[in-house]
Amino acid sequence: MTDWELVGVPYTSMARPGGIAEAIGALRSAGLAERLAGLGVPDTGDMELDAPSGERGPSGLLNEQALAQLVVTTRDLVSAAHGRDRAPLLVGGDCPVLLGALAASADDEHRHGLVMVDGHEDAWPPELSETGPRSGFTSTSMCSRRR
């Protein structure tokens, strides 16, 4: 897979819309899409995702329904990109997008790589999260089995 495509992920795990979900818009305003287009990377637009509810679900996570939608939408989008022999460049501001990308890669018999660039620690054990958003322990979920 050598061809890339830009995909915006306007998602937040926090209680209110905005904030980190606006990262892709800010990056586009700064010229990201144009610079990538100059390298042959098309911009496929943003995922359509529900706004956060601000409510905790049965597991204690904020916005469980929106999180589930994000994972399924990302999984489907990444699988479709792989089917076109393309590599999706998922750009947003919140780490749970990795869960859908990993799920799609696990479904595929080909080997895929994953690069994550982040600005904070994502390896908290879920039971120690004081705020409850999924973004604080995405890496823990991906890399370990918790009982």
Side-chain angles (χ1 to χ4, degrees), residues 8-101:
V9 187
Y11 176 81
T12 182
S13 296
M14 300 309 288
R16 290 175 292 208
I20 203 160
E22 296 172 358
I24 184 59
L27 290 167
R28 281 203 174 97
S29 293
L32 176 67
E34 291 81 9
R35 288 181 183 192
L36 290 172
L39 298 171
V41 178
D43 183 355
T44 64
D46 289 350
M47 288 184 190
E48 292 194 25
L49 301 168
D50 292 338
S53 66
E55 298 175 12
R56 290 186 187 275
S59 73
L61 294 175
L62 287 171
N63 311 316
E64 278 186 19
Q65 207 165 12
L67 174 63
Q69 180 199 29
L70 169 73
V71 172
V72 170
T73 301
T74 305
R75 181 183 197 168
D76 293 348
L77 186 144
V78 170
S79 292
H82 289 169
R84 294 188 306 275
D85 201 30
R86 299 189 70 85
L89 176 59
L90 304 170
V91 179
D94 214 342
C95 305
V97 70
L98 294 172
L99 300 173

Coordinates of all heavy atoms in Angstrom, one line a residue, residues 8-101:
G8 N -10.6 13.3 7.9 CA -10.8 14.0 9.1 C -11.6 13.3 10.1 O -12.6 12.7 9.8
V9 N -11.3 13.4 11.4 CA -12.0 12.7 12.5 C -12.4 13.7 13.5 O -11.7 13.9 14.5 CB -11.1 11.6 13.1 CG1 -12.0 10.8 14.1 CG2 -10.6 10.7 12.0
P10 N -13.5 14.4 13.4 CA -14.0 15.4 14.3 C -14.7 14.8 15.5 O -15.9 15.0 15.7 CB -14.9 16.3 13.5 CG -15.5 15.3 12.5 CD -14.4 14.3 12.2
Y11 N -13.9 14.2 16.4 CA -14.5 13.4 17.5 C -13.9 13.9 18.8 O -12.7 14.3 18.9 CB -14.2 11.9 17.4 CG -14.7 11.1 18.5 CD1 -16.0 10.8 18.6 CD2 -13.8 10.8 19.6 CE1 -16.5 10.0 19.7 CE2 -14.3 10.0 20.7 CZ -15.6 9.7 20.7 OH -16.1 9.0 21.8
T12 N -14.7 13.9 19.9 CA -14.2 14.2 21.2 C -14.8 13.2 22.2 O -16.0 12.9 22.1 CB -14.5 15.7 21.7 OG1 -14.0 15.8 23.0 CG2 -16.0 16.0 21.7
S13 N -14.0 12.8 23.1 CA -14.5 11.9 24.2 C -15.1 12.7 25.4 O -15.6 12.2 26.3 CB -13.3 11.1 24.8 OG -12.9 10.2 23.8
M14 N -14.9 14.0 25.3 CA -15.3 14.9 26.4 C -16.8 15.1 26.5 O -17.5 14.7 25.6 CB -14.5 16.2 26.4 CG -13.0 16.1 26.4 SD -12.4 15.0 27.8 CE -12.7 16.2 29.1
A15 N -17.3 15.8 27.5 CA -18.7 15.9 27.7 C -19.4 16.9 26.8 O -20.6 16.7 26.5 CB -19.0 16.4 29.2
R16 N -18.7 17.8 26.2 CA -19.3 18.8 25.3 C -18.7 18.8 23.9 O -17.5 18.5 23.8 CB -19.1 20.2 25.9 CG -20.0 20.4 27.2 CD -19.6 21.7 27.7 NE -18.3 21.6 28.2 CZ -17.8 22.3 29.2 NH1 -18.4 23.2 29.8 NH2 -16.5 22.1 29.6
P17 N -19.4 19.2 22.9 CA -18.9 19.3 21.6 C -17.8 20.3 21.5 O -17.7 21.2 22.4 CB -20.1 19.7 20.7 CG -21.3 19.5 21.5 CD -20.8 19.5 23.0
G18 N -17.0 20.3 20.4 CA -16.0 21.3 20.2 C -14.7 20.8 20.7 O -14.4 19.6 20.8
G19 N -13.8 21.8 21.1 CA -12.5 21.5 21.6 C -11.7 20.6 20.7 O -11.5 21.0 19.5
I20 N -11.3 19.5 21.1 CA -10.4 18.6 20.4 C -11.0 18.1 19.1 O -10.3 17.8 18.1 CB -9.9 17.5 21.2 CG1 -8.6 16.9 20.7 CG2 -10.9 16.4 21.4 CD1 -7.8 16.2 21.8
A21 N -12.3 18.1 19.0 CA -13.0 17.6 17.8 C -12.8 18.7 16.6 O -13.0 18.3 15.5 CB -14.5 17.5 18.0
E22 N -12.4 19.8 17.0 CA -12.2 20.9 16.0 C -10.7 20.9 15.5 O -10.4 21.7 14.6 CB -12.5 22.2 16.6 CG -14.0 22.3 16.9 CD -14.4 23.6 17.6 OE1 -13.6 24.4 17.9 OE2 -15.6 23.7 17.9
A23 N -9.9 19.9 15.9 CA -8.5 19.9 15.5 C -8.3 19.8 14.0 O -7.5 20.5 13.4 CB -7.8 18.8 16.2
I24 N -9.1 18.9 13.4 CA -9.0 18.7 11.9 C -9.3 20.0 11.2 O -8.7 20.3 10.2 CB -9.7 17.5 11.4 CG1 -9.5 17.3 9.9 CG2 -11.2 17.6 11.7 CD1 -8.0 17.0 9.5
G25 N -10.3 20.7 11.7 CA -10.7 22.0 11.0 C -9.5 23.0 11.1 O -9.2 23.7 10.2
A26 N -8.9 23.0 12.3 CA -7.8 24.0 12.5 C -6.6 23.6 11.6 O -6.0 24.5 11.1 CB -7.4 24.0 14.0
L27 N -6.4 22.3 11.5 CA -5.2 21.8 10.7 C -5.5 22.1 9.2 O -4.6 22.5 8.5 CB -5.0 20.3 10.9 CG -4.4 20.0 12.3 CD1 -4.4 18.5 12.6 CD2 -3.0 20.6 12.4
R28 N -6.8 21.9 8.8 CA -7.1 22.3 7.4 C -7.0 23.8 7.2 O -6.4 24.2 6.1 CB -8.5 21.8 7.1 CG -8.7 20.4 6.8 CD -9.9 20.1 6.0 NE -9.9 18.7 5.6 CZ -10.6 17.8 6.3 NH1 -11.3 18.1 7.3 NH2 -10.6 16.5 5.9
S29 N -7.4 24.6 8.2 CA -7.2 26.0 8.0 C -5.8 26.5 7.9 O -5.4 27.5 7.3 CB -7.9 26.8 9.2 OG -9.3 26.6 9.2
A30 N -4.9 25.7 8.5 CA -3.5 26.0 8.5 C -2.8 25.4 7.2 O -1.6 25.5 7.0 CB -2.8 25.4 9.7
G31 N -3.6 24.8 6.3 CA -3.1 24.4 5.0 C -2.7 22.9 4.9 O -2.1 22.5 3.9
L32 N -3.1 22.1 5.9 CA -2.7 20.7 5.9 C -3.2 20.0 4.6 O -2.4 19.3 3.9 CB -3.2 19.9 7.1 CG -2.9 18.4 7.1 CD1 -1.5 18.1 7.2 CD2 -3.7 17.7 8.2
A33 N -4.4 20.1 4.2 CA -5.0 19.4 3.1 C -4.3 19.8 1.8 O -3.9 19.0 0.9 CB -6.5 19.6 3.0
E34 N -4.0 21.1 1.6 CA -3.3 21.6 0.4 C -1.9 21.1 0.3 O -1.4 20.7 -0.7 CB -3.3 23.1 0.4 CG -4.7 23.8 0.2 CD -5.5 23.8 1.4 OE1 -5.0 23.6 2.6 OE2 -6.7 24.2 1.3
R35 N -1.2 21.1 1.5 CA 0.2 20.5 1.5 C 0.2 19.0 1.1 O 1.0 18.6 0.4 CB 0.8 20.8 2.8 CG 1.2 22.2 3.0 CD 1.9 22.5 4.3 NE 2.1 23.9 4.4 CZ 2.9 24.4 5.4 NH1 3.5 23.6 6.2 NH2 3.0 25.7 5.4
L36 N -0.7 18.3 1.7 CA -0.8 16.9 1.4 C -1.2 16.6 -0.1 O -0.7 15.7 -0.7 CB -1.8 16.2 2.3 CG -1.3 16.0 3.8 CD1 -2.4 15.5 4.7 CD2 0.0 15.2 3.9
A37 N -2.1 17.5 -0.6 CA -2.6 17.3 -2.0 C -1.4 17.6 -2.9 O -1.2 16.9 -3.9 CB -3.7 18.3 -2.3
G38 N -0.5 18.5 -2.5 CA 0.8 18.7 -3.3 C 1.7 17.5 -3.3 O 2.5 17.3 -4.2
L39 N 1.5 16.6 -2.4 CA 2.2 15.3 -2.4 C 1.4 14.1 -2.9 O 1.8 13.0 -2.8 CB 2.6 15.0 -0.9 CG 3.5 16.0 -0.2 CD1 3.6 15.7 1.3 CD2 4.9 16.0 -0.9
G40 N 0.3 14.5 -3.5 CA -0.6 13.4 -4.1 C -1.5 12.7 -3.2 O -2.1 11.7 -3.5
V41 N -1.8 13.3 -2.0 CA -2.7 12.7 -1.0 C -4.0 13.4 -1.1 O -4.1 14.6 -0.7 CB -2.1 12.9 0.4 CG1 -3.1 12.3 1.4 CG2 -0.8 12.2 0.5
P42 N -5.1 12.8 -1.6 CA -6.4 13.4 -1.7 C -7.0 13.6 -0.3 O -6.8 12.8 0.6 CB -7.2 12.5 -2.6 CG -6.6 11.1 -2.4 CD -5.1 11.4 -2.1
D43 N -7.9 14.6 -0.2 CA -8.7 14.8 1.0 C -10.0 14.2 0.8 O -10.8 14.7 0.0 CB -8.8 16.3 1.3 CG -9.5 16.7 2.6 OD1 -10.0 15.7 3.3 OD2 -9.5 17.9 2.9
T44 N -10.4 13.2 1.6 CA -11.7 12.5 1.5 C -12.8 13.2 2.4 O -13.9 12.7 2.4 CB -11.6 11.0 1.8 OG1 -11.2 10.8 3.1 CG2 -10.6 10.4 0.8
G45 N -12.4 14.2 3.1 CA -13.4 14.9 3.9 C -13.4 14.3 5.4 O -12.5 13.6 5.7
D46 N -14.4 14.7 6.1 CA -14.5 14.3 7.5 C -15.5 13.2 7.7 O -16.5 13.2 6.9 CB -15.0 15.5 8.4 CG -14.0 16.6 8.5 OD1 -12.8 16.4 8.2 OD2 -14.3 17.7 9.1
M47 N -15.3 12.4 8.6 CA -16.3 11.4 9.0 C -17.5 12.1 9.6 O -17.3 13.2 10.2 CB -15.7 10.5 10.2 CG -14.7 9.5 9.8 SD -14.3 8.6 11.3 CE -12.9 7.7 10.7
E48 N -18.7 11.6 9.4 CA -19.9 12.1 10.0 C -20.1 11.4 11.3 O -20.4 10.2 11.2 CB -21.0 12.0 9.0 CG -20.9 12.9 7.8 CD -22.1 13.1 7.0 OE1 -23.2 12.9 7.6 OE2 -22.0 13.4 5.8
L49 N -20.0 12.1 12.4 CA -20.2 11.5 13.7 C -21.2 12.3 14.5 O -21.3 13.5 14.4 CB -18.8 11.5 14.4 CG -17.7 10.7 13.7 CD1 -16.3 11.0 14.3 CD2 -18.0 9.2 13.7
D50 N -21.8 11.6 15.4 CA -22.7 12.2 16.4 C -22.0 13.1 17.4 O -20.8 12.8 17.7 CB -23.6 11.2 17.1 CG -24.5 10.5 16.2 OD1 -24.9 11.0 15.2 OD2 -24.9 9.3 16.6
A51 N -22.6 14.1 17.8 CA -22.0 15.0 18.9 C -22.1 14.2 20.2 O -22.9 13.3 20.4 CB -22.8 16.3 19.0
P52 N -21.2 14.5 21.1 CA -21.2 13.8 22.4 C -22.5 14.1 23.2 O -23.0 15.2 23.1 CB -20.0 14.4 23.1 CG -19.7 15.7 22.5 CD -20.2 15.6 21.1
S53 N -22.9 13.2 24.0 CA -24.1 13.3 24.8 C -23.8 14.0 26.2 O -24.6 14.6 26.8 CB -24.8 12.0 25.1 OG -23.9 11.2 25.9
G54 N -22.5 13.8 26.6 CA -22.2 14.3 27.9 C -22.6 13.3 29.0 O -22.4 13.6 30.2
E55 N -23.2 12.2 28.7 CA -23.7 11.3 29.7 C -22.7 10.0 29.8 O -22.2 9.6 28.8 CB -25.1 10.8 29.3 CG -26.1 11.9 29.3 CD -27.4 11.5 28.8 OE1 -27.7 10.3 28.7 OE2 -28.3 12.4 28.5
R56 N -22.7 9.5 30.9 CA -21.9 8.3 31.1 C -22.8 7.1 30.9 O -24.0 7.0 31.2 CB -21.4 8.2 32.6 CG -20.3 9.2 32.9 CD -19.8 8.9 34.3 NE -18.9 10.0 34.6 CZ -17.6 10.0 34.3 NH1 -17.1 9.0 33.6 NH2 -16.8 11.0 34.6
G57 N -22.2 6.1 30.2 CA -23.0 4.8 29.9 C -22.8 3.8 31.0 O -22.1 4.1 32.0
P58 N -23.3 2.6 30.8 CA -23.2 1.6 31.9 C -21.8 1.3 32.3 O -21.5 0.9 33.4 CB -23.8 0.4 31.2 CG -24.8 0.9 30.2 CD -24.1 2.2 29.7
S59 N -20.8 1.4 31.4 CA -19.4 1.1 31.7 C -18.7 2.3 32.5 O -17.7 2.1 33.0 CB -18.6 0.9 30.5 OG -18.4 2.1 29.8
G60 N -19.4 3.4 32.6 CA -18.8 4.6 33.2 C -18.1 5.5 32.3 O -17.7 6.6 32.7
L61 N -18.0 5.2 31.0 CA -17.4 6.0 30.0 C -18.4 7.1 29.5 O -19.6 6.9 29.4 CB -17.0 5.2 28.8 CG -15.9 4.2 29.0 CD1 -15.6 3.4 27.7 CD2 -14.6 4.9 29.4
L62 N -17.8 8.3 29.3 CA -18.6 9.3 28.7 C -18.9 9.0 27.2 O -18.1 8.4 26.5 CB -17.9 10.7 28.7 CG -17.7 11.3 30.1 CD1 -16.8 12.5 30.0 CD2 -19.1 11.8 30.6
N63 N -20.1 9.3 26.8 CA -20.5 9.3 25.4 C -20.3 7.9 24.8 O -19.8 7.8 23.6 CB -19.6 10.3 24.6 CG -19.7 11.7 25.2 OD1 -20.7 12.1 25.6 ND2 -18.5 12.3 25.3
E64 N -20.7 6.9 25.5 CA -20.6 5.5 25.0 C -21.1 5.3 23.6 O -20.5 4.6 22.7 CB -21.2 4.5 25.9 CG -20.3 4.1 27.1 CD -20.8 3.0 27.9 OE1 -21.7 2.3 27.5 OE2 -20.3 2.9 29.0
Q65 N -22.3 5.8 23.3 CA -23.0 5.6 22.0 C -22.1 6.3 20.9 O -21.9 5.7 19.9 CB -24.4 6.2 22.1 CG -25.3 5.6 21.1 CD -26.7 5.9 21.4 OE1 -27.1 6.8 22.2 NE2 -27.7 5.2 20.8
A66 N -21.7 7.5 21.2 CA -20.8 8.2 20.2 C -19.5 7.4 20.0 O -19.0 7.3 18.9 CB -20.6 9.6 20.6
L67 N -18.9 6.9 21.1 CA -17.7 6.1 21.0 C -17.9 4.9 20.1 O -17.1 4.6 19.2 CB -17.2 5.7 22.3 CG -16.0 4.8 22.4 CD1 -14.8 5.4 21.8 CD2 -15.7 4.3 23.8
A68 N -19.0 4.2 20.3 CA -19.3 3.0 19.5 C -19.5 3.3 18.1 O -19.0 2.6 17.2 CB -20.6 2.3 20.1
Q69 N -20.1 4.4 17.8 CA -20.3 4.9 16.4 C -18.9 5.2 15.8 O -18.7 4.9 14.6 CB -21.2 6.1 16.3 CG -21.4 6.6 14.9 CD -21.9 8.0 14.8 OE1 -21.6 8.9 15.7 NE2 -22.6 8.3 13.7
L70 N -18.1 5.9 16.5 CA -16.7 6.2 16.1 C -16.0 4.9 15.7 O -15.4 4.9 14.6 CB -15.9 7.0 17.1 CG -14.4 7.2 16.8 CD1 -14.2 8.2 15.7 CD2 -13.7 7.5 18.0
V71 N -16.0 4.0 16.6 CA -15.2 2.7 16.3 C -15.7 2.0 15.0 O -15.0 1.6 14.2 CB -15.3 1.8 17.5 CG1 -14.6 0.4 17.2 CG2 -14.5 2.4 18.7
V72 N -17.0 1.9 14.9 CA -17.6 1.2 13.8 C -17.4 2.0 12.5 O -17.0 1.4 11.5 CB -19.1 1.0 14.0 CG1 -19.8 0.5 12.7 CG2 -19.4 -0.1 15.1
T73 N -17.6 3.3 12.5 CA -17.4 4.1 11.3 C -15.9 4.1 10.9 O -15.6 4.0 9.7 CB -17.8 5.6 11.6 OG1 -19.2 5.6 12.0 CG2 -17.6 6.5 10.4
T74 N -15.0 4.2 11.9 CA -13.6 4.1 11.5 C -13.2 2.8 11.0 O -12.5 2.7 10.0 CB -12.7 4.4 12.8 OG1 -13.1 5.7 13.3 CG2 -11.2 4.5 12.5
R75 N -13.7 1.7 11.6 CA -13.4 0.4 11.1 C -13.8 0.2 9.7 O -13.1 -0.3 8.8 CB -14.1 -0.7 12.0 CG -13.9 -2.1 11.6 CD -14.7 -3.0 12.5 NE -14.2 -4.4 12.4 CZ -14.5 -5.3 13.2 NH1 -15.4 -5.1 14.2 NH2 -14.0 -6.5 13.1
D76 N -15.1 0.6 9.4 CA -15.6 0.5 8.0 C -14.8 1.3 7.0 O -14.5 0.9 5.9 CB -17.1 0.9 8.0 CG -18.0 0.0 8.7 OD1 -17.5 -1.2 9.1 OD2 -19.1 0.3 9.0
L77 N -14.5 2.6 7.4 CA -13.7 3.5 6.5 C -12.3 2.9 6.2 O -11.8 2.9 5.1 CB -13.6 4.8 7.2 CG -13.0 5.9 6.3 CD1 -13.7 7.2 6.6 CD2 -11.5 6.1 6.6
V78 N -11.6 2.5 7.3 CA -10.3 1.9 7.1 C -10.3 0.6 6.3 O -9.5 0.5 5.4 CB -9.6 1.7 8.5 CG1 -8.3 0.9 8.3 CG2 -9.3 3.0 9.2
S79 N -11.3 -0.2 6.5 CA -11.4 -1.4 5.7 C -11.7 -1.1 4.2 O -11.1 -1.7 3.3 CB -12.6 -2.3 6.2 OG -12.3 -2.8 7.5
A80 N -12.5 -0.1 4.0 CA -12.8 0.3 2.6 C -11.5 0.9 1.9 O -11.2 0.6 0.8 CB -13.9 1.3 2.6
A81 N -10.8 1.7 2.7 CA -9.5 2.2 2.1 C -8.5 1.1 1.8 O -7.9 1.1 0.7 CB -8.9 3.2 3.1
H82 N -8.4 0.1 2.7 CA -7.5 -1.0 2.5 C -8.0 -1.8 1.2 O -7.1 -2.2 0.4 CB -7.4 -1.9 3.7 CG -6.7 -1.4 4.8 ND1 -6.8 -2.0 6.1 CD2 -5.9 -0.3 5.0 CE1 -6.0 -1.2 6.9 NE2 -5.5 -0.2 6.3
G83 N -9.3 -1.9 1.0 CA -9.8 -2.6 -0.1 C -9.5 -1.9 -1.4 O -9.4 -2.5 -2.5
R84 N -9.3 -0.6 -1.4 CA -8.9 0.2 -2.5 C -7.3 0.3 -2.6 O -6.8 1.1 -3.4 CB -9.4 1.6 -2.5 CG -10.9 1.7 -2.6 CD -11.5 3.1 -2.7 NE -11.0 4.0 -1.7 CZ -11.6 4.2 -0.5 NH1 -12.6 3.4 -0.1 NH2 -11.1 5.0 0.4
D85 N -6.6 -0.5 -1.8 CA -5.2 -0.5 -1.7 C -4.7 0.9 -1.3 O -3.6 1.4 -1.9 CB -4.6 -1.0 -3.0 CG -3.1 -1.5 -2.7 OD1 -2.8 -1.9 -1.6 OD2 -2.3 -1.4 -3.7
R86 N -5.3 1.6 -0.4 CA -4.9 2.9 0.1 C -4.7 2.8 1.6 O -5.3 2.0 2.3 CB -6.0 3.9 -0.3 CG -6.2 4.1 -1.8 CD -7.0 5.2 -2.2 NE -6.4 6.5 -1.9 CZ -5.6 7.1 -2.8 NH1 -5.3 6.5 -3.9 NH2 -5.1 8.3 -2.5
A87 N -3.9 3.8 2.1 CA -3.7 3.9 3.5 C -4.3 5.2 4.0 O -4.0 6.3 3.5 CB -2.2 4.0 3.7
P88 N -5.3 5.0 4.9 CA -5.9 6.2 5.4 C -5.1 7.0 6.5 O -4.5 6.3 7.3 CB -7.2 5.7 6.1 CG -6.9 4.3 6.5 CD -5.9 3.8 5.4
L89 N -4.9 8.3 6.3 CA -4.3 9.1 7.2 C -5.4 9.7 8.1 O -6.0 10.7 7.7 CB -3.4 10.2 6.5 CG -2.7 11.2 7.4 CD1 -1.8 10.5 8.4 CD2 -2.0 12.2 6.5
L90 N -5.6 9.2 9.2 CA -6.7 9.6 10.1 C -6.2 10.7 11.0 O -5.3 10.6 11.8 CB -7.2 8.5 11.0 CG -7.6 7.2 10.3 CD1 -7.8 6.1 11.3 CD2 -8.9 7.5 9.5
V91 N -6.8 11.9 10.8 CA -6.3 13.1 11.5 C -7.5 13.7 12.3 O -8.5 14.0 11.8 CB -5.7 14.2 10.6 CG1 -5.3 15.4 11.3 CG2 -4.6 13.6 9.7
G92 N -7.2 13.8 13.6 CA -8.2 14.4 14.5 C -7.5 14.8 15.7 O -6.4 15.2 15.7
G93 N -8.2 14.7 16.8 CA -7.6 15.1 18.0 C -7.8 14.2 19.2 O -7.3 14.4 20.3
D94 N -8.6 13.1 19.0 CA -8.9 12.2 20.1 C -8.5 10.8 19.8 O -8.7 10.3 18.7 CB -10.4 12.3 20.4 CG -10.7 12.1 21.9 OD1 -9.8 11.7 22.6 OD2 -11.8 12.5 22.3
C95 N -7.9 10.2 20.7 CA -7.2 8.9 20.5 C -8.1 7.7 20.3 O -7.6 6.7 19.6 CB -6.4 8.6 21.8 SG -5.2 9.9 22.2
P96 N -9.4 7.6 20.7 CA -10.2 6.4 20.4 C -10.3 6.1 19.0 O -10.7 5.0 18.6 CB -11.5 6.8 21.1 CG -11.2 7.7 22.2 CD -10.0 8.6 21.6
V97 N -10.0 7.0 18.0 CA -10.0 6.6 16.6 C -9.1 5.4 16.3 O -9.4 4.6 15.4 CB -9.7 7.8 15.7 CG1 -8.2 8.2 15.8 CG2 -10.0 7.5 14.3
L98 N -8.1 5.2 17.2 CA -7.2 4.1 17.0 C -7.9 2.7 17.1 O -7.6 1.8 16.5 CB -6.1 4.1 18.0 CG -5.1 5.3 17.9 CD1 -4.2 5.3 19.1 CD2 -4.4 5.2 16.6
L99 N -9.0 2.7 17.9 CA -9.7 1.4 18.2 C -10.3 0.9 16.9 O -10.2 -0.3 16.6 CB -10.7 1.6 19.3 CG -10.1 2.1 20.6 CD1 -11.3 2.4 21.6 CD2 -9.2 1.0 21.2
G100 N -10.9 1.8 16.1 CA -11.5 1.3 14.9 C -10.5 1.0 13.8 O -10.7 0.0 13.1
A101 N -9.4 1.7 13.8 CA -8.3 1.4 12.9 C -7.7 0.1 13.2 O -7.4 -0.7 12.3 CB -7.3 2.5 12.9

